[in-house]
Amino acid sequence: MLKKADLIIGSGERSADLRYATGLATPDDFLYFAVDEIRGAVLSPLEHDRALHSVKPGVTVFATADFPGHSFPELVAVLAERYRIGRFEVPADFPLGLAEALRGSGLTLQVRSGIFFPEREFKDDAETAEVRRGVQAAAAGARRAFEVLAEATIEADSRLFWRGEALTSERLRCEIDQAQLAAGAMPGGTIAAGGRQGAEPHHTGSGPLYAHTPIVMDIFPRLIDSGYWGDLTRTVVKGRAPEIVRRAFTAVREAREQAKAQLRPGAIPAEIHQNAVRLLDRHGFRTGCENGRNFGFFHGLGHGLGLEIHEAPRLSPGNTRPLRGGEIVTVEPGLYYPEWGGIRLEDVVRITPDGCECLTELPDPLEIP
Amino acid sequence: MLKKADLIIGSGERSADLRYATGLATPDDFLYFAVDEIRGAVLSPLEHDRALHSVKPGVTVFATADFPGHSFPELVAVLAERYRIGRFEVPADFPLGLAEALRGSGLTLQVRSGIFFPEREFKDDAETAEVRRGVQAAAAGARRAFEVLAEATIEADSRLFWRGEALTSERLRCEIDQAQLAAGAMPGGTIAAGGRQGAEPHHTGSGPLYAHTPIVMDIFPRLIDSGYWGDLTRTVVKGRAPEIVRRAFTAVREAREQAKAQLRPGAIPAEIHQNAVRLLDRHGFRTGCENGRNFGFFHGLGHGLGLEIHEAPRLSPGNTRPLRGGEIVTVEPGLYYPEWGGIRLEDVVRITPDGCECLTELPDPLEIP
């Protein structure tokens, strides 16, 4: 009777499934398999010794030297014979070229539909503590930005100056990122986008920053030791916020707090998203598209957070699967208008038996004097 | 007559092929296609506007809203019909799950064997300038490390102290990484491994650092703006290097310089690698494996460097394809012995018509007083 086995081939740095299964953060590709009660990782000489003392309990470390042949197809063929494996189940992101090579040598591969490890969606206390640390690293970045903006001066043309030179998105981002590193986390593609640049949710920001206009700061570092992510967005104005910005800020904050009050086991992500759209609309902030440009609130309300920056579950208009408890998600409504820019406020919460717990501890000031 | 088209689906941050083709560094997945004279990128509302002003010349930006349906399979089906495409050529790392969905809806996909864009292996002057900037960012990190080690004091038990506390691998790495950020580059998984930890080439280092024993620092940042990588390794001793370390250092430096003298169009990477092994052997530093532990020089001599940290060509024992000119490669021989640690010295060179040009400008001191 031939058995079926789990098979993942990738790098621990890039594949969250591999890191989840083995705890290993290798830069190079390695192989993980699980059959019967055996979970094994096969490592090259470069990684083998280090893996021995950093692998998750329950996973056996093998050396490629223990297998004849060197390529992954040869290695998988040996596994198939040694453990009498008839079928390998692989994740959806398994590389097609390698899959064809394996199939070409007579092996059977099947993509496991959906999430490879469904349990990754529900965080235990240890994982929750890691995400909380990730969010704290993001908050360290935001606090540094608050400091820099507080120290900055406003020039006659409303440009910001700091330490004798123009304060740019690049300079502010560097300060935010250095603070994240000091907190033990590798910065993601930090956003520090001012004025109209903030109207494009993924614009990272460039050039001089100005007073009296919103600066969106989206900060998402990954912990260097454990690989869990944090995520945080704050939007601030150096100086005085215009009336429209003040109103949008209030609406977005209300939308975020309403969503946090509604998140609980049984809640439908799509409904919570739509409730946020409706709340923003009631405040007079419409969502739509004109001349090919989107405006209003045109991204998902949030996403799962863990070993991937974006993972299940999505708090999106398309997700009608009820929450079950234990998920960690971002809550990040936003408003974007080409005329004046954007506002986004993002906290991270864990779904608890009777609601949700906020993992983010950071004020959300609109104005920095 | 049905045509064939290039197809890549992935994120610009993760897929070097996508970034090469489009110049876009999106966090989310998007679709790139090329058929006839058309090269197109199809972007979601979140990325569309930003893509318009950051896309490479010659690539047309489409909005997902311009296509009926929302999923990638629907989108590809529309492309197939609109442009009369009979076959899509995809890269080897195309995700298997998506490939099966596309094939399931009647589309023909074929993996292009080898490198998807073979021209990526040969860098033009603009790309060379970017890699040089990447190496300069790495050198900024190394210079900061030299400074910190020069300032550090040696305690009675040989531990290093700096700014009132024990100098650890983590602290030194943070200083190196912050300097890279200030130079406009995102740190990779910086290695700062002291003593016996340095005997494992990929050990990133942890805990207190000591005097009179080698510290391997491997620094590989990615430029935030263009996505090109730098790569650099230096090994230093705070205080006095033991005799064996001094001899190993001299041997590794000679191996690196010999390889640089031999790299030119027509040279065979495997031979240059073996020449390095032989040179180290002549210096009395054997390579081998005992009780499952590797020692000596047991990794490849170098690798291509560009939009990926490891790309073609490899300077490895298995690569017998002659160099052609225009490649950018690392040259990084090393010696590793569990008894005392490791030495690795890495420069980056570009293969020129009559040899190679070194892109790394940084001294390689063994001892820091």
Side-chain angles (χ1 to χ4, degrees):
Chain A
M1 178 65 186
L2 290 174
K3 301 165 200 164
K4 83 175 183 189
D6 286 0
L7 175 68
I8 314 179
I9 296 175
S11 90
E13 276 176 5
R14 292 172 66 115
S15 163
D17 285 331
L18 258 185
R19 185 133 189 200
Y20 186 77
T22 67
L24 300 176
T26 63
D28 296 330
D29 286 357
F30 72 96
L31 181 152
Y32 167 81
F33 69 99
V35 59
D36 300 331
E37 300 305 298
I38 302 159
R39 292 184 292 141
V42 187
L43 279 297
S44 79
L46 270 178
E47 305 285 0
H48 177 265
D49 296 344
R50 185 166 66 123
L52 283 174
H53 44 79
S54 57
V55 75
K56 272 198 180 174
V59 179
T60 306
V61 173
F62 298 87
T64 46
D66 300 339
F67 294 84
H70 285 296
S71 69
F72 283 121
E74 289 171 304
L75 216 159
V76 178
V78 173
L79 286 178
E81 196 182 313
R82 193 175 287 181
Y83 296 103
R84 305 187 51 72
I85 298 164
R87 178 160 56 89
F88 289 94
E89 288 199 358
V90 300
D93 62 358
F94 196 88
L96 176 61
L98 185 54
E100 295 194 340
L102 293 170
R103 286 171 174 167
S105 64
L107 298 161
T108 302
L109 252 68
Q110 191 179 338
V111 175
R112 186 179 297 165
S113 60
I115 305 173
F116 195 71
F117 295 118
E119 59 270 34
R120 267 187 53 205
E121 196 168 340
F122 309 98
K123 274 71 176 175
D124 63 21
D125 288 347
E127 291 186 283
T128 304
E130 292 304 312
V131 176
R132 193 190 296 270
R133 282 178 59 224
V135 174
Q136 284 165 350
R143 283 202 184 87
R144 179 65 187 140
F146 294 168
E147 277 172 19
V148 169
L149 289 166
E151 289 169 19
T153 54
I154 303 173
E155 301 298 298
D157 62 354
S158 289
R159 262 193 220 207
L160 301 186
F161 259 63
W162 184 64
R163 294 193 176 170
E165 52 187 49
L167 180 62
T168 60
S169 288
E170 290 82 356
R171 190 78 185 83
L172 184 59
R173 180 159 49 238
C174 183
E175 293 293 322
I176 294 170
D177 287 351
Q178 291 190 332
Q180 294 178 83
L181 277 171
M186 190 59 64
T190 303
I191 291 173
R196 294 196 176 94
Q197 292 180 355
E200 300 171 38
H202 279 184
H203 200 308
T204 51
S206 68
L209 290 167
Y210 291 85
H212 319 310
T213 184
I215 302 171
V216 179
M217 300 184 296
D218 193 339
I219 304 171
F220 42 106
R222 189 177 198 193
L223 292 173
I224 291 172
D225 51 8
S226 70
Y228 283 83
W229 289 83
D231 202 351
L232 174 90
T233 308
R234 290 293 182 264
T235 304
V236 295
V237 172
K238 169 73 180 183
R240 292 277 298 166
E243 181 57 22
I244 183 75
V245 169
R246 189 181 305 275
R247 282 180 42 229
F249 186 89
T250 302
V252 169
R253 185 150 60 180
E254 273 188 33
R256 185 190 65 190
E257 294 309 309
Q258 171 182 278
K260 282 157 72 174
Q262 293 174 344
L263 283 165
R264 64 186 60 241
I268 312 286
E271 290 177 4
I272 297 183
H273 176 95
Q274 292 306 346
N275 292 344
V277 175
R278 273 192 290 269
L279 182 145
L280 296 168
D281 204 78
R282 279 200 306 274
H283 276 266
F285 294 101
R286 283 198 317 123
T287 293
C289 185
E290 230 163 58
N291 303 322
R293 274 212 73 157
N294 296 280
F295 58 83
F297 174 40
F298 55 91
H299 56 70
L301 179 64
H303 52 81
L305 189 67
L307 285 170
E308 283 179 287
I309 175 71
H310 294 148
E311 59 180 44
R314 303 275 170 160
L315 302 187
S316 64
N319 184 7
T320 55
R321 199 164 50 104
L323 297 171
R324 287 171 45 187
E327 299 93 337
I328 293 182
V329 293
T330 68
V331 184
E332 47 177 315
L335 283 172
Y336 311 91
Y337 294 93
E339 300 78 33
W340 56 263
I343 302 281
R344 183 164 66 256
L345 294 172
E346 174 184 30
D347 284 350
V348 172
V349 303
R350 177 163 186 250
I351 312 299
T352 55
D354 54 357
C356 72
E357 178 197 8
C358 188
L359 305 184
T360 310
E361 287 176 44
L362 184 78
D364 46 12
L366 170 58
E367 290 177 347
I368 295 186
Chain B
M1 177 65 186
L2 291 174
K3 300 166 201 162
K4 86 173 180 190
D6 286 0
L7 175 68
I8 313 179
I9 297 175
S11 91
E13 276 176 5
R14 292 171 67 113
S15 164
D17 286 330
L18 258 184
R19 186 134 188 197
Y20 186 77
T22 66
L24 301 176
T26 63
D28 295 330
D29 287 356
F30 72 97
L31 181 152
Y32 166 82
F33 69 99
V35 60
D36 299 332
E37 301 304 298
I38 303 158
R39 292 184 292 141
V42 188
L43 277 299
S44 78
L46 269 178
E47 306 284 359
H48 177 265
D49 296 344
R50 185 167 67 122
L52 283 174
H53 44 80
S54 56
V55 77
K56 273 197 179 176
V59 179
T60 306
V61 173
F62 298 86
T64 46
D66 299 339
F67 293 83
H70 285 296
S71 68
F72 283 120
E74 289 171 304
L75 216 159
V76 178
V78 173
L79 286 178
E81 197 183 314
R82 192 175 288 180
Y83 296 103
R84 304 186 51 73
I85 297 165
R87 178 159 57 89
F88 289 94
E89 288 199 357
V90 300
D93 63 356
F94 196 89
L96 176 62
L98 185 54
E100 295 194 340
L102 293 170
R103 286 172 174 167
S105 65
L107 298 161
T108 301
L109 251 69
Q110 192 179 337
V111 175
R112 186 179 298 165
S113 61
I115 305 173
F116 196 71
F117 296 118
E119 60 271 33
R120 266 187 55 203
E121 196 167 343
F122 308 98
K123 273 71 176 177
D124 63 22
D125 288 347
E127 290 187 283
T128 303
E130 292 303 314
V131 175
R132 194 190 294 271
R133 282 178 59 223
V135 174
Q136 284 165 351
R143 282 202 186 87
R144 178 66 187 138
F146 294 168
E147 277 171 21
V148 169
L149 288 167
E151 289 168 20
T153 55
I154 303 174
E155 300 299 298
D157 61 355
S158 291
R159 264 193 220 207
L160 301 186
F161 259 63
W162 185 63
R163 293 193 177 168
E165 52 186 50
L167 180 61
T168 59
S169 288
E170 291 81 355
R171 190 78 185 83
L172 184 59
R173 180 159 50 239
C174 183
E175 293 293 321
I176 295 170
D177 287 352
Q178 291 189 333
Q180 294 177 82
L181 278 171
M186 190 58 64
T190 303
I191 290 173
R196 296 197 176 91
Q197 291 179 356
E200 300 171 38
H202 280 184
H203 200 308
T204 51
S206 67
L209 290 168
Y210 291 85
H212 319 310
T213 184
I215 301 170
V216 179
M217 300 184 297
D218 192 340
I219 305 171
F220 42 105
R222 190 177 199 191
L223 292 172
I224 291 171
D225 51 10
S226 70
Y228 282 83
W229 289 83
D231 202 350
L232 174 90
T233 307
R234 290 293 182 264
T235 303
V236 296
V237 172
K238 168 72 180 181
R240 293 277 297 164
E243 182 56 23
I244 183 76
V245 169
R246 190 181 305 275
R247 284 180 40 227
F249 186 89
T250 302
V252 169
R253 186 149 59 180
E254 273 188 33
R256 186 191 64 192
E257 293 310 308
Q258 171 182 278
K260 282 156 73 173
Q262 294 175 343
L263 283 165
R264 64 186 59 243
I268 312 288
E271 289 176 4
I272 297 183
H273 176 94
Q274 292 305 347
N275 293 343
V277 175
R278 273 192 291 269
L279 183 146
L280 295 169
D281 205 74
R282 279 201 304 277
H283 277 266
F285 294 101
R286 284 198 315 123
T287 293
C289 185
E290 232 164 56
N291 302 324
R293 274 212 75 156
N294 296 279
F295 59 84
F297 175 38
F298 55 90
H299 57 69
L301 180 64
H303 52 81
L305 189 67
L307 285 169
E308 282 178 289
I309 174 70
H310 295 147
E311 60 181 43
R314 302 276 169 161
L315 303 186
S316 64
N319 185 6
T320 55
R321 200 164 48 104
L323 297 171
R324 288 171 45 186
E327 299 94 337
I328 293 183
V329 293
T330 68
V331 184
E332 47 177 317
L335 282 172
Y336 310 90
Y337 294 93
E339 298 78 34
W340 56 263
I343 302 281
R344 184 165 64 254
L345 294 173
E346 174 184 29
D347 284 350
V348 172
V349 304
R350 177 163 186 249
I351 312 299
T352 55
D354 54 358
C356 71
E357 179 197 7
C358 189
L359 306 183
T360 309
E361 287 175 45
L362 184 77
D364 45 14
L366 169 59
E367 289 177 347
I368 294 185

